[in-house]
Amino acid sequence: MKELYFDDLKAGEKFQSDTFEVPAKEIIEFAEKFDPQKFHLHAKSAERSIFKGLVASGWHTAAITMRLFVKTLNFAEGAIGLGVDELRWPNAVRPGDVLRVETEILDARLCRSRPNMGVIRLRNVTLNQKDEIVQTMSANALVPRRSGSVE
Amino acid sequence: MKELYFDDLKAGEKFQSDTFEVPAKEIIEFAEKFDPQKFHLHAKSAERSIFKGLVASGWHTAAITMRLFVKTLNFAEGAIGLGVDELRWPNAVRPGDVLRVETEILDARLCRSRPNMGVIRLRNVTLNQKDEIVQTMSANALVPRRSGSVE
């Protein structure tokens, strides 16, 4: 699989990730560690919550999105997150949902302070098997240039 | 420990979390599952990265922040994240770092569409044992009112 550097990315480019099915077990495991609220922990008490059933923590959805994104873009030297904005969860993720991520590169510019790096701005939209949006976000990331790249 | 409802929160209130020490093992486990980049996975190759050593995924820092926040506020009926903005990671989290979260309630208002709920706006700042900021974020969350609360 091709490894990407900053030099390979252009504003307007779009990427489609693989899919990932979210097991109930992983929803509960993540919640026990990081977000121990009843609607993420127990199917029974989740039924009496606003969600009417077990749902994944938004931070779990964000983490799954990162996994799918990282595997799709496959940066040779990694991508270093500078910040995230407009992180929203318009629909909950439920056990058995099959997620995928659509990435659009919004901007790609050279880094002034580090000539061997570029900064990309991107938007990630995470969808389920019914094409419902479960997460949106925009992010800036620092991505290494191909060694020897000269502008 | 007191369980909080929307009615207990006021703009300007501040909360201090407990602390959590981040083991190298958990940094690597999280990265293997959700953010498999070399500076989160392998101490040796992380030394040759921009970080000069193993660092936690920003999403791991966000998840640890959620754990500390949820345990501190201890919402009786949970808090439902509506969205997050200005999520930034000004310093990396390294193995053995001891994190804590400072929460400030920025705004608390009743929910128009759901009279039994309120919406809080908050800012979470996550610090390490050297008082360096490792994460900042602002968020909106839906929080249930105490049953029978009437305005």
Side-chain angles (χ1 to χ4, degrees), chain A residues 77-144:
Chain A
E77 303 285 336
I80 296 151
L82 297 173
V84 168
D85 281 285
E86 299 165 68
L87 179 58
R88 302 286 180 274
W89 299 287
N91 289 287
V93 171
R94 295 171 190 273
D97 276 1
V98 179
L99 304 187
R100 67 182 197 280
V101 176
E102 295 181 355
T103 299
E104 181 176 0
I105 308 297
L106 301 176
D107 188 38
R109 59 185 170 79
L110 293 172
C111 182
R112 282 184 205 178
S113 56
R114 296 177 181 272
N116 58 339
M117 296 268 188
V119 176
I120 57 168
R121 181 159 182 81
L122 61 91
R123 180 172 157 86
N124 275 339
V125 178
T126 311
L127 302 113
N128 66 18
Q129 71 282 2
K130 291 182 270 185
D131 290 336
E132 294 164 338
I133 294 175
V134 297
Q135 185 184 285
T136 58
M137 56 169 272
S138 61
N140 284 321
L142 205 56
V143 179

Side-chain angles (χ1 to χ4, degrees), chain A residues 26 29-30 32-40 50-51 57 59-60 62-68 70-71 75-89 114 117 135 137 142, chain B residues 26 29-30 32-40 50-51 57 59-60 62-68 70-71 75-89 114 117 135 137 142:
Chain A
E26 291 191 15
E29 273 174 17
F30 189 97
E32 283 171 344
K33 266 195 178 165
F34 299 118
D35 193 352
Q37 304 198 80
K38 63 180 180 183
F39 35 74
H40 304 318
I50 189 174
F51 296 111
S57 167
W59 298 107
H60 191 187
I64 292 169
T65 298
M66 187 64 185
R67 167 175 30 198
L68 291 169
V70 161
K71 289 195 176 168
F75 295 108
E77 303 285 336
I80 296 151
L82 297 173
V84 168
D85 281 285
E86 299 165 68
L87 179 58
R88 302 286 180 274
W89 299 287
R114 296 177 181 272
M117 296 268 188
Q135 185 184 285
M137 56 169 272
L142 205 56
Chain B
E26 291 192 14
E29 272 173 17
F30 189 98
E32 283 172 344
K33 267 196 177 164
F34 299 117
D35 194 352
Q37 304 198 81
K38 63 181 181 184
F39 35 74
H40 304 317
I50 189 174
F51 295 111
S57 167
W59 298 107
H60 191 187
I64 292 168
T65 297
M66 187 64 186
R67 168 178 25 201
L68 291 169
V70 161
K71 291 194 176 169
F75 296 107
E77 303 286 336
I80 296 152
L82 296 173
V84 168
D85 281 284
E86 300 165 67
L87 179 58
R88 302 286 180 274
W89 298 287
R114 295 176 182 272
M117 297 265 186
Q135 185 183 286
M137 56 170 272
L142 205 55

